[in-house]
Amino acid sequence: MSSLTDPAGAPTRRQRWLSILAKAPAERLEALWHALGTVPDYSILRRPEIGLVMVKGRVSGSGSAFCAGEMTATRAAVRLTTGEVGFGYVGGRSPRQAELIAAIDALGQRPEWQERLEGAVIAPLVTEAEARRRLLASRSAATKVEFFTVAREAGT
Amino acid sequence: MYVAVKGGETAINHSLELLADKRRGERSVAELSLEQIDQQLSLAVDRVMTEGSCYDRSLAALAIKQARGDLIEAIFLLRAYRTTLPRFGDSLPIDTTEMLAERRISATFKDVPGGQVLGPTFDYTHRLLDFSLAAAGERPLAPTAPTEEPLPLPRVGDILQRDGLLEPPSQGDDGHDLTRQPLMFPASRPLRLQNLARGDEGFLLALGYSTQRGYGNNHPFVGEIRYGHVPVSFVPEELGFAIELGEIEVTECDMVNQFAGSHDVPPQFTRGYGLAFGHAERKAMAMALVDRALRADELSETATSPAQDEEFVLAHSDNVEASGFVQHLKLPHYVDFQSELVTVRALREEVERRNREAAAAAAALDKAAE
């Protein structure tokens, strides 16, 4: 989808942030948000709402799309007093997380906040997600089969 | 005779209270938490999410607790809950080559790129009861091994497909969704797959097994099974670009089947596909076998067996529907039964009258013969 990415093909900052924030553990995001200290006021534009997204699969992984089943999701929208509107989407039923994501999305549209949010919220979440992935991968890697030939087992 | 009946309200209320009491069980035993069900009965949660057709671990855990561990009842609860929620839209199709795989095996190629990763599986257990689990006690953490940056895992099917030995899957999106339109026949393959994905594991397992025993056999091989984490991308209308909503766990099975060819197609391997939420290998494999069996018409095979009969399979796969129709027999059928009773009594009287008349006629004949 061409609208997903900027012309260079890299995901836009907003898209990247929203994806990272949605995958963050709720309590961790809450903690990082509190650690920011005083943040500009925002008003709720759309109260957090729980709904469903139909997850699509593909036949044999790469063919026609089909409906694999739904997942729950929560969305919210907020507006800063300075007018920026932020949207929050997160898988599962997490009203508070959807609201926080929307608030960070709105704040991120103010240039003076971008660097601070990148450093204080986004970067730690990326590092932690990477560590979780590495742990999962290394546990699986320990179960990878090393095949031996009979000759090698005999030590020749 | 028909008499209008009311009542039973108190009995019903007390029954509900007794149910809640039995659910809690002996009060001296600690109550289960949803986190315990999610973490320690995770495959039950996976099955409820798959057949409930709704990915939400804590909701599925709640359903299992409420249903006292009756998984089909839990699936029903989850299906009922989802009807109360609005639909935000469809995700982009998940890309399983981007999966962070916890398990990935192929029964067709030993040296599959990415390797044979066994992951957490019952396959190598001895199926001996482990009495050490009956006692509490911490378990050691699983071993780890150094790993490079996880790379996209090429699909075994795609490798075979490049050589023309394996049929490529059809493309497109017909937009059919069983939760929006009723099931109509003939059903497209995407619609069949949606039905099978929600279908009862036991039913599909039995049907898949029946194909292996000769009722519609198509010589299956496990091209590949993978289980792991995939991101789900969604394009919110107000944003207009895709964002990831989160990661879900799925199990995928690409089954490769012998195919002698037809008048338009040279001999090649054909495929059946299975996809389930969570770690649900038996389900994904059974689904792939039945998916392939249901393609009999498309591949000019003679459909002779139940697993190849689309109406038979798709109309009976849903355990919420099946359970509802079977269990409705418990509801009062007093009037139905009364009318049947009247009919059977009348028929019996008629038969008895005829028997009496025949006996009288025979006796008269005997008398005349004397």
Side-chain angles (χ1 to χ4, degrees):
Chain A
M1 193 168 292
S2 57
S3 60
L4 306 187
T5 49
D6 66 19
T12 62
R13 179 203 54 82
R14 206 173 166 202
Q15 183 184 22
R16 187 173 68 87
W17 280 24
L18 285 169
S19 299
I20 292 162
L21 293 166
K23 290 188 288 187
E27 63 283 8
R28 185 66 185 131
L29 185 60
E30 184 81 49
L32 290 170
W33 174 256
H34 277 291
L36 282 175
T38 314
V39 292
D41 276 345
Y42 61 80
S43 57
I44 303 276
L45 208 56
R46 179 162 64 204
R47 286 157 57 84
E49 177 190 22
I50 295 169
L52 295 166
V53 169
M54 175 54 85
V55 178
K56 295 278 199 142
R58 286 190 183 282
V59 176
S60 293
S62 57
S64 309
F66 71 96
C67 295
E70 288 163 314
M71 67 183 281
T72 54
T74 312
R75 64 180 174 192
V78 306
R79 194 203 318 260
L80 300 181
T81 45
T82 41
E84 293 84 359
V85 173
F87 297 100
Y89 273 85
V90 59
R93 291 161 302 125
S94 306
R96 175 66 181 161
Q97 189 170 1
E99 182 187 322
L100 286 185
I101 293 172
I104 294 169
D105 180 47
L107 268 183
Q109 292 166 50
R110 287 175 48 173
E112 75 275 20
W113 273 89
Q114 266 180 26
E115 204 172 321
R116 178 145 173 236
L117 288 170
E118 181 76 54
V121 178
I122 304 297
L125 290 178
V126 170
T127 312
E128 289 157 18
E130 212 24 70
R132 283 196 300 275
R133 282 181 76 83
R134 254 201 315 278
L135 177 63
L136 269 175
S138 63
R139 283 153 59 102
S140 304
T143 70
K144 187 164 161 176
V145 180
E146 302 289 346
F147 288 103
F148 298 102
T149 62
V150 176
R152 195 168 148 196
E153 277 183 87
T156 47
Chain B
M1 183 178 62
Y2 173 67
V3 180
V5 184
K6 277 184 74 170
E9 205 174 317
T10 309
I12 288 170
N13 284 334
H14 289 173
S15 163
L16 293 172
E17 286 167 31
L18 181 56
L19 173 68
D21 190 290
K22 292 281 279 186
R23 174 189 299 127
R24 175 60 185 86
E26 185 55 59
R27 300 301 197 275
S28 59
V29 177
E31 190 178 346
L32 264 180
S33 71
L34 298 190
E35 292 75 20
Q36 286 172 328
I37 295 172
D38 175 5
Q39 292 295 307
Q40 297 172 38
L41 298 176
S42 57
L43 300 184
V45 169
D46 291 344
R47 179 166 181 194
V48 170
M49 293 194 303
T50 297
E51 294 171 34
S53 200
C54 182
Y55 195 100
D56 188 315
R57 299 199 68 85
S58 56
L59 272 183
L62 174 61
I64 290 167
K65 180 173 178 175
Q66 187 176 334
R68 303 174 62 198
D70 178 337
L71 297 189
I72 294 184
E73 183 70 20
I75 289 159
F76 194 167
L77 292 171
L78 194 54
R79 290 266 189 99
Y81 175 80
R82 71 152 284 281
T83 64
T84 66
L85 297 178
R87 171 80 69 83
F88 293 166
D90 290 352
S91 81
L92 298 178
I94 55 172
D95 180 0
T96 47
T97 55
E98 294 294 332
M99 178 186 283
L100 173 61
E102 290 200 42
R103 172 166 164 80
R104 193 285 199 104
I105 54 160
S106 168
T108 47
F109 293 107
K110 178 167 75 70
D111 296 311
V112 60
Q116 307 265 1
V117 178
L118 304 181
T121 175
F122 293 121
D123 292 353
Y124 308 99
T125 64
H126 294 112
R127 265 70 185 224
L128 298 173
L129 276 175
D130 178 359
F131 288 96
S132 74
L133 289 171
E138 266 323 317
R139 305 267 139 189
L141 292 173
T144 58
T147 172
E148 300 139 46
E149 186 56 23
L151 297 170
L153 281 179
R155 249 184 232 101
V156 170
D158 294 347
I159 300 165
L160 267 178
Q161 199 180 305
R162 277 200 293 272
D163 301 331
L165 294 171
L166 184 68
E167 55 154 9
S170 60
Q171 297 295 323
D173 185 350
D174 61 12
H176 281 305
D177 181 351
L178 276 180
T179 67
R180 295 301 166 99
Q181 299 107 15
L183 180 61
M184 304 283 269
F185 301 107
S188 66
R189 193 164 171 212
L191 201 60
R192 294 199 303 250
L193 284 171
Q194 182 182 10
N195 176 287
L196 298 178
R198 297 157 60 91
D200 183 73
E201 178 171 321
F203 179 71
L204 297 183
L205 179 65
L207 280 175
Y209 180 42
S210 75
T211 68
Q212 288 180 284
R213 291 194 65 255
Y215 293 87
N217 196 0
N218 42 49
H219 304 278
F221 296 92
V222 168
E224 167 168 4
I225 289 173
R226 55 174 74 187
Y227 149 66
H229 308 247
V230 286
V232 179
S233 293
F234 176 67
V235 183
E237 233 172 75
E238 57 275 44
L239 289 173
F241 54 79
I243 55 167
E244 288 175 8
L245 290 177
E247 277 187 341
I248 62 171
E249 288 174 36
V250 297
T251 306
E252 181 184 48
C253 173
D254 202 7
M255 200 71 87
V256 174
N257 305 266
Q258 231 178 59
F259 179 55
S262 63
H263 34 81
D264 340 286
V265 186
Q268 61 176 184
F269 289 100
T270 55
R271 303 158 94 164
Y273 186 64
L275 183 70
F277 287 151
H279 192 181
E281 242 162 79
R282 193 191 299 114
K283 166 69 188 262
M285 291 177 76
M287 177 175 167
L289 287 174
V290 176
D291 170 45
R292 174 59 186 80
L294 287 175
R295 299 180 60 206
D297 262 1
E298 175 198 339
L299 296 166
S300 313
E301 293 167 341
T302 318
T304 52
S305 302
Q308 296 166 316
D309 182 334
E310 176 176 277
E311 286 200 39
F312 178 80
V313 174
L314 301 186
H316 299 118
S317 63
D318 193 292
N319 56 25
V320 176
E321 283 172 18
S323 163
F325 201 50
V326 167
Q327 295 210 64
H328 101 281
L329 294 173
K330 292 185 289 192
L331 292 173
H333 282 66
Y334 305 142
V335 178
D336 284 0
F337 188 69
Q338 282 295 330
S339 78
E340 298 267 317
L341 209 54
V342 168
T343 309
V344 172
R345 279 199 181 116
L347 289 172
R348 285 176 66 93
E349 271 165 26
E350 174 68 19
V351 169
E352 277 162 22
R353 187 182 57 77
R354 267 193 265 127
N355 286 350
R356 274 196 308 274
E357 282 173 10
L365 268 179
D366 284 352
K367 212 164 197 185
E370 272 171 17

